[in-house]
Structure formats: C-alpha cells, structure tokens
C-alpha cells in the first residue's frame, strides 16, 4: 500500500487540501473521524474490514456481480434465497457476506436514493445486519469463521451504527452525490482525466500520481 501522504497546503486561507495517495487512505481517515463523532467503538479488525469494503466497492466491477447478466442489481431477497439455497457451506457463507456487504454500502452511501426505491433504508438495515449475524454463526469452525467471525458478529450487532457512520462520511465529502465523487476518482485512476482531478480537488481530495497504480486490497 502506498505510504500515507498528507499536506496542509491551501489555495485560500483556512482551506485544507489533503493529499490522498489512495482511496483506502481517504476512507480510513474518514471512518476514524466519523466513528468518533458517532461515539462508535469497534474492534480494529472490524474497522479495517469496513475500510477495505468501501475501497473495493468504489470499483464498479467489484460492486456489480459479474455472474449476473442483468443490468440492474439483484434484489436483496433473491440474494438471501441464493445464499440459503447454496449447495456448499462455502457458497452459503460467500452469499451471506456479499448480502451484508452490499446492504451496508448502499444503506451507508445511498440512503437518499432509497427514498425513491420500492424498499427503504430500514429494509437494508434488517437484511444486512441479519446476514452478518447469520454468517457469524454459520462460519463457526471454519477458516473464515476463525478469521472473521468476530468481525461479522460486530457488524451484525452494530449495523445501524455503521450506517450512520457511513452517512457521515458521505456528508464529509461535501458533495450532493457521493456516487459522483467515487466515480470521478475511478475515472481519474483509470484515465488520468484532468476534469475528474479538478472535480476531486473541489471536494478537498487531491489525488497524487502514486495512486495511479494497481489497486492494493
């Protein structure tokens, strides 16, 4: 992972410009600030999991399931049914984890969009929290359970609090649409677009050349 780089240069008095070497750094710092504001204390591994989740899902190809040919995202109820009907324990755990991850990301970053959807935020909270909690139980005795069982249990228990934290991160970005911020970062990473760089700088995110390297997960 690229070394953390932060400078306090500014174009106007009182305006801080933050050098962000990669998107994981941006999410890590934002998550730490938002958890403190929301008085949320979690295990280090859980916070690390959420940072990696946000970094991964900033990539469109990671957020959308390549196995699904539909241009729209698969409904949560069908994702749950697929997970529960999976033929192997590993496939079941993968399905539950993805359901929890998708629910957390959407509920945390696109809560406003859910007002116009068929189901609202509380549905995502229920489905996502339930998926993580079930996963923490069903993964017991497995390699995944030994590594992430505590993380999944904490995410299930504190799902709503994490949604609040991610909503704070969305507001910290200072944009009417955080989807646009993440998309502009993705475009800049792939193409070096000057327009995307200007948009990011307006949000207080100053991308550096070191970030334009293969994603480090």
């Amino acid at each position: 992972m690229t070394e953390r780089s932060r400078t306090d240069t500014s174009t106007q008095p009182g305006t801080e410009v933050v050098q962000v070497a990669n998107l994981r750094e941006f999410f890590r710092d934002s998550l730490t600030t938002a958890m403190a504001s929301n008085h949320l204390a979690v295990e280090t591994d859980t916070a690390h999991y959420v940072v990696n989740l946000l970094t991964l899902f900033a990539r469109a190809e990671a957020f959308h399931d390549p196995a699904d040919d539909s241009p729209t995202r698969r409904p949560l109820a069908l994702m749950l049914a697929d997970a529960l009907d999976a033929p192997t324990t590993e496939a079941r755990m993968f399905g539950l984890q993805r359901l929890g991850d998708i629910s957390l990301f959407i509920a945390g970053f696109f809560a406003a969009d859910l007002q116009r959807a068929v189901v609202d935020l509380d549905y995502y909270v229920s489905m996502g929290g339930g998926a993580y909690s079930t996963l923490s139980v069903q993964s017991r005795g497995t390699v995944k359970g030994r590594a992430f069982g505590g993380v999944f249990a904490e995410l299930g228990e504190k799902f709503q609090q994490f949604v609040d934290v991610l909503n704070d991160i969305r507001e910290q970005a200072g944009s009417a649409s955080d989807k646009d911020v993440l998309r502009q970062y993705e475009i800049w990473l792939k193409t070096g677009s000057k327009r995307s760089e200007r948009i990011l700088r307006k949000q207080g995110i100053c991308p550096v050349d070191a970030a334009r390297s293969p994603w480090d997960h």
Side-chain angles (χ1 to χ4, degrees):
M1 182 170 64
T2 307
E3 286 294 325
R4 176 177 177 178
S5 173
R6 178 185 288 271
T7 59
D8 293 336
T9 58
S10 60
T11 55
Q12 297 178 357
T15 301
E16 181 184 28
V17 177
V18 179
Q19 293 277 0
V20 176
N22 57 42
L23 196 53
R24 178 183 285 118
E25 176 184 325
F26 170 73
F27 281 129
R28 183 179 63 241
D29 291 347
S30 297
L31 184 69
T32 299
T33 300
M35 286 197 304
S37 298
N38 285 273
H39 307 289
L40 175 60
V42 300
E43 296 295 329
T44 301
D45 286 347
T46 305
H48 185 67
Y49 181 93
V50 174
V51 169
N52 285 341
L53 167 65
L54 299 180
T55 305
L56 178 65
F57 277 3
R59 303 168 58 196
E61 63 268 28
F63 182 66
H64 296 287
D65 188 350
D68 190 353
D69 295 331
S70 172
T72 60
R73 184 177 41 77
R74 193 165 178 76
L76 299 187
L78 294 183
M79 292 178 65
L80 176 60
D82 290 344
L84 297 179
D85 293 340
T88 66
T89 300
E90 290 75 14
R92 185 180 310 113
M93 289 190 297
F94 176 81
L96 289 170
Q97 183 177 359
R98 184 161 178 82
L99 174 57
D101 291 349
I102 290 284
S103 298
L104 180 59
F105 187 74
I106 293 178
F109 274 85
F110 307 120
D113 295 339
L114 295 179
Q115 294 177 343
R116 299 184 294 274
V118 176
V119 294
D120 208 342
L121 183 62
D122 57 342
Y123 178 75
Y124 282 80
V125 171
S126 176
M127 293 290 282
Y132 281 135
S133 294
T134 301
L135 178 58
S136 70
V137 174
Q138 297 203 359
S139 64
R140 289 175 184 169
T142 68
V143 173
K144 183 187 286 283
R146 287 190 290 272
F148 295 102
V151 170
F152 297 140
E154 189 164 37
L155 287 170
E157 178 185 355
K158 301 177 180 178
F159 193 92
Q160 177 62 70
Q161 292 168 275
F162 269 109
V163 169
D164 291 341
V165 164
L166 298 192
N167 271 272
D168 270 5
I169 294 177
R170 181 195 64 211
E171 293 178 2
Q172 289 170 25
S175 171
S177 172
D178 295 284
K179 185 187 297 184
D180 293 340
V181 174
L182 298 178
R183 177 59 178 160
Q184 294 306 326
Y185 194 97
E186 181 183 26
I187 291 173
W188 180 82
L189 277 177
K190 291 181 176 180
T191 68
S193 166
K194 295 298 182 182
R195 176 179 179 275
S196 295
E197 182 178 346
R198 287 196 302 271
I199 293 173
L200 289 168
R201 286 179 182 274
K202 287 181 181 179
Q203 305 304 321
I205 302 172
C206 184
V208 295
D209 289 340
R212 297 194 62 219
S213 59
W215 283 78
D216 175 23
H217 304 306

